[in-house]
Amino acid sequence: METIAELFESLPRTIFRKARRYTRKLWVRVVLMGLLAVVAVGLSQLVEMLIPDELAESLGGTSADRLLNVIASAMLSVTIFSITVMVSVYQSSSTQWTPRIHRLIMQDHTTQNTLAVFIGAYVYALLGIILRELGIYNDDRSFVLFWMTVAVLGVIVVYLIRWVLHLQGFGQLIDITRQIEETTRNQFRERLAKPCLGATPFTGTLPERARPLKAWESGYIQYIYPEALNALAEKHDVALYLTQSNGSFVFLNAPVLHVVEHASDTDWEALCEGVRDALTLGDLRTYEQDPRFGLIVMGEVGSKALSPGVNDPGTAIDVITRIGRILSDYKDETETTPDGVLERVHVRPLDPDDLLRDGFGALSRDGATTLEVQQRLQQTLSGLMQHPDKGLRAAARRRAKIELRRALEALVFETDRETLCASADKSINLD
């Protein structure tokens, strides 16, 4: 078992990835802000000792008491109101569009920071009131406490203004689609900045000597820590081939990856334990490290907009455009070799056919009879057929041909069929 010092020295990226996962959780920010409130109260007591008596006695304790009482009473009400709004937005967006949006909205930075500040200010006020009642802050030595409370009030006002402005679009469809697009594009850029997660591209077939390492539970592959896997492979003198990618669902005892042993004395139990620490399985698919999931959620929003209960083809058209913009960032992961590639870990590159199917599959099927949606889809695919990457160009051509054939079979009005054919790329041949 590696020590903490060795882990920091050899796997800094793994530690950074794990730390970043926790920063997205609301309770972590609330706890950090609460600790900051405790530090602020304690720091004000220490600084008070350095203030000259004449200046310290210029403000009485009752001045700070009034401000602390205002914060304590106001923050409780504002926090309850904010939580009510947040829960209401979660429920409405999940019901109206797709439940997968709910977890993305939960990670909204403005919402999390605002709630953390409100709760932290409430903790600060309670601690201040308690210390005043205990006599730790007496009436003659409350100068720093007063100004520290004024500073806290200033922070509260800033975050109240930000919260009010944020609520103007919070939970609205345009805001939701922008969030999904931004999150998915960020995941794409992170993935393509380190092609195949920084590992060696796995494009061929498995070596004959590959031995399957079976899943220890059923679930989605949520997080892969390639640096930790590479260090583990070096330690055991093996090569690891990830036949499953982020977002793939694996069943208990199904192969989660394959191992090529370079020696005959591999400690298999220790290797399996190390893989469990470096590869996380869970019951839900997540956005982190999984740009395909963002495309699927975007497609679900467009598909739901085409349902009879919503009947909003404009949203579907907007979603198609956004998906096309996301896919414009694509590049072949096998053509870029990053510095410091992890040679012991092999990861399959993103497949452009999978990306197009994830984004447009459900949407195009549900909108097969809607001419305007099919026109925008053909125009978007025609644009992707001009992409610099030849793999994406070919995949876009294949997808455009499939969707055009589907739409022509679904559209019954001959003029609509002719209009759609005119919108399609001229190079598509259905024969």
Side-chain angles (χ1 to χ4, degrees), residues 92-112:
S92 62
S93 60
S94 297
T95 303
Q96 187 172 4
W97 302 113
T98 169
R100 264 62 66 186
I101 293 178
H102 165 250
R103 286 181 286 122
L104 181 61
I105 300 178
M106 285 179 63
Q107 296 179 1
D108 181 72
H109 295 315
T110 302
T111 303
Q112 291 189 348

Side-chain angles (χ1 to χ4, degrees), residues 306 313 316-317 320 360-382 399-411 416-417 419-425 428:
L306 293 171
I317 292 172
I320 291 172
F360 297 127
L363 189 157
S364 61
R365 182 182 63 250
D366 294 337
T369 58
T370 306
L371 174 62
E372 294 79 9
V373 172
Q374 292 300 322
Q375 281 184 298
R376 180 54 61 91
L377 178 59
Q378 288 298 325
Q379 292 166 1
T380 301
L381 290 172
S382 178
R399 177 55 52 180
K401 188 173 182 179
I402 292 172
E403 301 307 339
L404 180 58
R405 181 179 289 114
R406 186 206 307 272
L408 290 177
E409 291 183 2
L411 293 170
D416 288 347
R417 294 161 60 90
T419 303
L420 179 59
C421 288
S423 301
D425 193 275
I428 297 178

Side-chain angles (χ1 to χ4, degrees), residues 184 187-188 245-248 285-287 289-298 350-351 353-355 357-359:
T184 307
Q187 293 304 318
F188 255 108
S245 59
N246 293 88
S248 298
R285 197 167 177 178
T286 64
Y287 293 90
Q289 289 190 337
D290 189 5
R292 289 183 59 184
F293 184 55
L295 291 174
I296 291 173
V297 174
M298 185 74 79
L350 294 171
D351 187 338
D353 283 297
D354 291 339
L355 299 177
R357 183 172 58 251
D358 291 337

Side-chain angles (χ1 to χ4, degrees), residues 124 136 189 211 334:
Y124 170 85
I136 297 177
R189 288 167 179 168
R211 179 181 176 184
T334 62

Side-chain angles (χ1 to χ4, degrees), residues 315-346:
T315 294
I317 292 172
D318 178 65
V319 166
I320 291 172
T321 304
R322 293 181 185 275
I323 293 174
R325 187 158 53 186
I326 293 170
L327 293 176
S328 297
D329 294 334
Y330 174 83
K331 62 181 179 181
D332 191 345
E333 294 182 280
T334 62
E335 295 182 355
T336 304
T337 303
D339 296 333
V341 63
L342 306 174
E343 297 181 352
R344 297 269 186 164
V345 181
H346 302 256

